[in-house]
């Protein structure tokens, strides 16, 4: 005889099927449309579809006790290799039952409830409990990133869901922050050299010779004493005036151009052609080099091997550059036209930090 739960399943399914639209009926493809999967806990207080914004057909949702990546590995591999997912969201939660017991506790309880006959099956069974939530997320991320079954191009991230509020609480990942800061420090010198080369090759501001007076320094004559010895041995001192050689017109123009360009002097004017050349180079060659450096640098700091870094560069570079075009062309125009050379790197770095914070808050729904 059907149980109350079974009866509810049948009734609820009939109601659901009656409103199942023709557009959805049999039309959704087998692979998830958004090509990602979620690994989360089986806790009854979590509704992944509503809490994480997952529509029908969007993603795979793999659930087990504690949202364990190790326990979910078989399903993860099938999802990626057979059904084409390229991103993993690992979501654990507050007040998780896996925080309340140890492996030994679980073994003793099961044996007490089911009898000594289960000892053989229990032997070697890891219930995968954990004593600390944030560390459990980090351990699972490390497991996924170290596994050869998870390709390097697969994006992996870890989250903590608050079952009490329905939100993802803010947490500061000090390891990721340290890696980002270290990469920023290491990438500053090459970025400075790149900007310096652009400015020297294509000066953005050139001297306005039509309106500004010449800034050429006046060359004052200097009095020097020359000593001569005559054929008879007499020593004669003679004072003469000497002028230092004047720089050539080309040298003076280059000197003035460098000063005017790097300081955005009021006596200079914007060179539109040079600025356009800098902009195009910065948003093509510069964007590509920066993106590759970012992926490779952070990958190395995270301990990824060469194969994983190469795969990530191949699969992520284009999408990152395209995403960056929502912001960086405007930043580049402002930088080349309004910001003095010596402040450009600081300006871009400040915008980059703000952009990163914005993306993080947007991703976290805060």
């Amino acid at each position: 005889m059907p149980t109350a739960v079974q009866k509810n399943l049948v009734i609820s399914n009939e109601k659901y099927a009656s409103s199942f639209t023709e557009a959805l009926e049999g039309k959704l493809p087998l692979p998830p449309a958004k090509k990602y999967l979620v690994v989360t806990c089986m806790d009854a207080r979590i509704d992944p579809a509503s809490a994480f914004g997952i529509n029908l057909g969007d993603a795979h949702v793999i659930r087990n006790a504690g949202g364990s990546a190790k326990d979910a590995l078989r399903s993860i591999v099938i999802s990626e290799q057979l059904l084409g997912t390229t991103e993993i969201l690992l979501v654990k939660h507050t007040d998780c039952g896996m925080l309340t017991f140890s492996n030994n506790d679980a073994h003793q309880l099961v044996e007490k409830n089911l009898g000594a006959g289960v000892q053989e099956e229990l032997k070697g069974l890891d219930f995968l409990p954990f004593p600390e939530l944030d560390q459990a997320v980090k351990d699972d991320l490390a497991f996924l990133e170290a596994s050869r079954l998870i390709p390097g191009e697969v994006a992996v991230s870890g989250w903590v869901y608050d079952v009490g509020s329905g939100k993802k609480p803010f947490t500061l990942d000090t390891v990721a922050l340290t890696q980002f800061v270290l990469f920023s420090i290491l990438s500053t010198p090459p970025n400075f050299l790149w900007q310096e080369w652009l400015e020297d090759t294509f000066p953005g501001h050139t001297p306005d010779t039509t309106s500004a007076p010449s800034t050429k320094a006046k060359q004052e004559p200097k009095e020097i004493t020359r000593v001569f010895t005559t054929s008879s041995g007499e020593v004669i001192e003679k004072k003469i005036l000497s002028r230092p050689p004047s720089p050539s017109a080309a040298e003076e123009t280059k000197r003035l151009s460098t000063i005017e360009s790097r300081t955005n002097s009021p006596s200079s004017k914007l060179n539109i052609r040079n600025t356009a050349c800098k902009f195009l180079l910065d948003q093509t060659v510069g964007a590509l080099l920066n993106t590759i450096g970012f992926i490779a640098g952070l990958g190395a700091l995270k301990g990824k091997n060469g194969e994983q870094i190469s795969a990530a560069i191949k699969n992520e570079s284009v999408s990152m550059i395209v995403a960056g075009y929502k912001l960086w062309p405007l930043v580049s125009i402002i930088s080349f036209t309004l910001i003095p050379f010596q402040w450009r790197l600081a300006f871009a770095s400040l915008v980059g930090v703000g952009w990163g914070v914005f993306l993080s808050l947007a991703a976290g729904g805060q």
Side-chain angles (χ1 to χ4, degrees), residues 159-175:
W159 309 82
V160 174
Y161 173 76
D162 187 350
V163 294
S165 66
K167 297 180 179 180
K168 182 196 78 64
F170 175 79
T171 55
L172 179 63
D173 189 337
T174 55
V175 174

mmCIF file of all heavy atoms in Angstrom, residues 159-175:
data_model
loop_
_atom_site.group_PDB
_atom_site.id
_atom_site.type_symbol
_atom_site.label_atom_id
_atom_site.label_comp_id
_atom_site.label_asym_id
_atom_site.label_seq_id
_atom_site.Cartn_x
_atom_site.Cartn_y
_atom_site.Cartn_z
ATOM 1 N N TRP A 159 31.929 28.153 -2.048
ATOM 2 C CA TRP A 159 31.005 29.097 -1.432
ATOM 3 C C TRP A 159 30.446 28.519 -0.130
ATOM 4 O O TRP A 159 30.433 27.313 0.064
ATOM 5 C CB TRP A 159 29.837 29.411 -2.372
ATOM 6 C CG TRP A 159 30.262 29.808 -3.751
ATOM 7 C CD1 TRP A 159 30.605 28.965 -4.776
ATOM 8 C CD2 TRP A 159 30.426 31.126 -4.261
ATOM 9 N NE1 TRP A 159 30.967 29.678 -5.888
ATOM 10 C CE2 TRP A 159 30.863 31.014 -5.611
ATOM 11 C CE3 TRP A 159 30.239 32.392 -3.712
ATOM 12 C CZ2 TRP A 159 31.115 32.120 -6.398
ATOM 13 C CZ3 TRP A 159 30.489 33.501 -4.506
ATOM 14 C CH2 TRP A 159 30.924 33.362 -5.836
ATOM 15 N N VAL A 160 29.976 29.422 0.730
ATOM 16 C CA VAL A 160 29.292 29.004 1.959
ATOM 17 C C VAL A 160 27.914 29.661 1.966
ATOM 18 O O VAL A 160 27.801 30.889 1.852
ATOM 19 C CB VAL A 160 30.076 29.416 3.218
ATOM 20 C CG1 VAL A 160 29.258 29.106 4.470
ATOM 21 C CG2 VAL A 160 31.415 28.688 3.272
ATOM 22 N N TYR A 161 26.880 28.838 2.078
ATOM 23 C CA TYR A 161 25.489 29.309 2.086
ATOM 24 C C TYR A 161 24.978 29.342 3.528
ATOM 25 O O TYR A 161 25.169 28.382 4.282
ATOM 26 C CB TYR A 161 24.638 28.376 1.227
ATOM 27 C CG TYR A 161 23.144 28.626 1.265
ATOM 28 C CD1 TYR A 161 22.590 29.685 0.566
ATOM 29 C CD2 TYR A 161 22.307 27.781 1.993
ATOM 30 C CE1 TYR A 161 21.219 29.910 0.580
ATOM 31 C CE2 TYR A 161 20.932 28.000 2.017
ATOM 32 C CZ TYR A 161 20.395 29.063 1.316
ATOM 33 O OH TYR A 161 19.048 29.280 1.339
ATOM 34 N N ASP A 162 24.329 30.433 3.902
ATOM 35 C CA ASP A 162 23.793 30.583 5.255
ATOM 36 C C ASP A 162 22.349 30.099 5.277
ATOM 37 O O ASP A 162 21.453 30.761 4.744
ATOM 38 C CB ASP A 162 23.868 32.056 5.663
ATOM 39 C CG ASP A 162 23.476 32.263 7.126
ATOM 40 O OD1 ASP A 162 22.973 31.310 7.748
ATOM 41 O OD2 ASP A 162 23.683 33.379 7.635
ATOM 42 N N VAL A 163 22.115 28.944 5.877
ATOM 43 C CA VAL A 163 20.752 28.397 5.891
ATOM 44 C C VAL A 163 19.823 29.234 6.778
ATOM 45 O O VAL A 163 18.593 29.118 6.674
ATOM 46 C CB VAL A 163 20.739 26.926 6.384
ATOM 47 C CG1 VAL A 163 21.459 26.028 5.408
ATOM 48 C CG2 VAL A 163 21.340 26.818 7.779
ATOM 49 N N GLY A 164 20.383 30.069 7.622
ATOM 50 C CA GLY A 164 19.556 30.898 8.492
ATOM 51 C C GLY A 164 18.999 32.128 7.815
ATOM 52 O O GLY A 164 17.943 32.633 8.191
ATOM 53 N N SER A 165 19.693 32.635 6.792
ATOM 54 C CA SER A 165 19.256 33.860 6.122
ATOM 55 C C SER A 165 18.962 33.663 4.648
ATOM 56 O O SER A 165 18.375 34.524 4.001
ATOM 57 C CB SER A 165 20.324 34.947 6.266
ATOM 58 O OG SER A 165 21.505 34.575 5.567
ATOM 59 N N GLY A 166 19.410 32.531 4.091
ATOM 60 C CA GLY A 166 19.230 32.312 2.660
ATOM 61 C C GLY A 166 20.239 33.054 1.823
ATOM 62 O O GLY A 166 20.104 33.140 0.600
ATOM 63 N N LYS A 167 21.307 33.593 2.459
ATOM 64 C CA LYS A 167 22.323 34.348 1.733
ATOM 65 C C LYS A 167 23.668 33.650 1.790
ATOM 66 O O LYS A 167 23.892 32.757 2.600
ATOM 67 C CB LYS A 167 22.475 35.752 2.331
ATOM 68 C CG LYS A 167 21.231 36.626 2.222
ATOM 69 C CD LYS A 167 21.507 37.978 2.836
ATOM 70 C CE LYS A 167 20.290 38.890 2.729
ATOM 71 N NZ LYS A 167 20.553 40.219 3.338
ATOM 72 N N LYS A 168 24.528 34.094 0.914
ATOM 73 C CA LYS A 168 25.917 33.658 0.979
ATOM 74 C C LYS A 168 26.658 34.673 1.835
ATOM 75 O O LYS A 168 26.824 35.824 1.430
ATOM 76 C CB LYS A 168 26.546 33.618 -0.414
ATOM 77 C CG LYS A 168 27.990 33.124 -0.422
ATOM 78 C CD LYS A 168 28.684 33.461 -1.693
ATOM 79 C CE LYS A 168 29.131 34.896 -1.743
ATOM 80 N NZ LYS A 168 30.139 35.245 -0.718
ATOM 81 N N PRO A 169 27.080 34.316 3.036
ATOM 82 C CA PRO A 169 27.758 35.285 3.909
ATOM 83 C C PRO A 169 29.091 35.712 3.325
ATOM 84 O O PRO A 169 29.757 34.954 2.621
ATOM 85 C CB PRO A 169 27.946 34.504 5.216
ATOM 86 C CG PRO A 169 27.946 33.073 4.811
ATOM 87 C CD PRO A 169 27.003 32.977 3.644
ATOM 88 N N PHE A 170 29.472 36.955 3.623
ATOM 89 C CA PHE A 170 30.756 37.456 3.154
ATOM 90 C C PHE A 170 31.891 36.783 3.912
ATOM 91 O O PHE A 170 31.886 36.692 5.129
ATOM 92 C CB PHE A 170 30.845 38.972 3.370
ATOM 93 C CG PHE A 170 32.198 39.531 3.025
ATOM 94 C CD1 PHE A 170 32.554 39.760 1.722
ATOM 95 C CD2 PHE A 170 33.117 39.807 4.032
ATOM 96 C CE1 PHE A 170 33.801 40.270 1.405
ATOM 97 C CE2 PHE A 170 34.359 40.326 3.727
ATOM 98 C CZ PHE A 170 34.697 40.556 2.411
ATOM 99 N N THR A 171 32.862 36.292 3.158
ATOM 100 C CA THR A 171 34.063 35.713 3.763
ATOM 101 C C THR A 171 35.286 36.254 3.031
ATOM 102 O O THR A 171 35.251 36.470 1.820
ATOM 103 C CB THR A 171 34.066 34.172 3.667
ATOM 104 O OG1 THR A 171 33.907 33.787 2.285
ATOM 105 C CG2 THR A 171 32.923 33.571 4.473
ATOM 106 N N LEU A 172 36.351 36.487 3.766
ATOM 107 C CA LEU A 172 37.589 36.992 3.182
ATOM 108 C C LEU A 172 38.552 35.828 2.984
ATOM 109 O O LEU A 172 39.002 35.214 3.949
ATOM 110 C CB LEU A 172 38.223 38.048 4.085
ATOM 111 C CG LEU A 172 39.550 38.636 3.599
ATOM 112 C CD1 LEU A 172 39.340 39.367 2.275
ATOM 113 C CD2 LEU A 172 40.127 39.579 4.642
ATOM 114 N N ASP A 173 38.831 35.521 1.725
ATOM 115 C CA ASP A 173 39.771 34.452 1.407
ATOM 116 C C ASP A 173 41.176 35.049 1.429
ATOM 117 O O ASP A 173 41.620 35.665 0.453
ATOM 118 C CB ASP A 173 39.444 33.867 0.027
ATOM 119 C CG ASP A 173 40.255 32.610 -0.272
ATOM 120 O OD1 ASP A 173 41.331 32.444 0.328
ATOM 121 O OD2 ASP A 173 39.823 31.800 -1.107
ATOM 122 N N THR A 174 41.857 34.894 2.542
ATOM 123 C CA THR A 174 43.175 35.514 2.702
ATOM 124 C C THR A 174 44.212 34.928 1.757
ATOM 125 O O THR A 174 45.122 35.625 1.313
ATOM 126 C CB THR A 174 43.666 35.367 4.156
ATOM 127 O OG1 THR A 174 43.642 33.974 4.518
ATOM 128 C CG2 THR A 174 42.768 36.144 5.106
ATOM 129 N N VAL A 175 44.078 33.647 1.418
ATOM 130 C CA VAL A 175 45.024 33.022 0.485
ATOM 131 C C VAL A 175 44.880 33.646 -0.896
ATOM 132 O O VAL A 175 45.866 34.038 -1.535
ATOM 133 C CB VAL A 175 44.792 31.495 0.414
ATOM 134 C CG1 VAL A 175 45.684 30.884 -0.661
ATOM 135 C CG2 VAL A 175 45.079 30.853 1.767
#
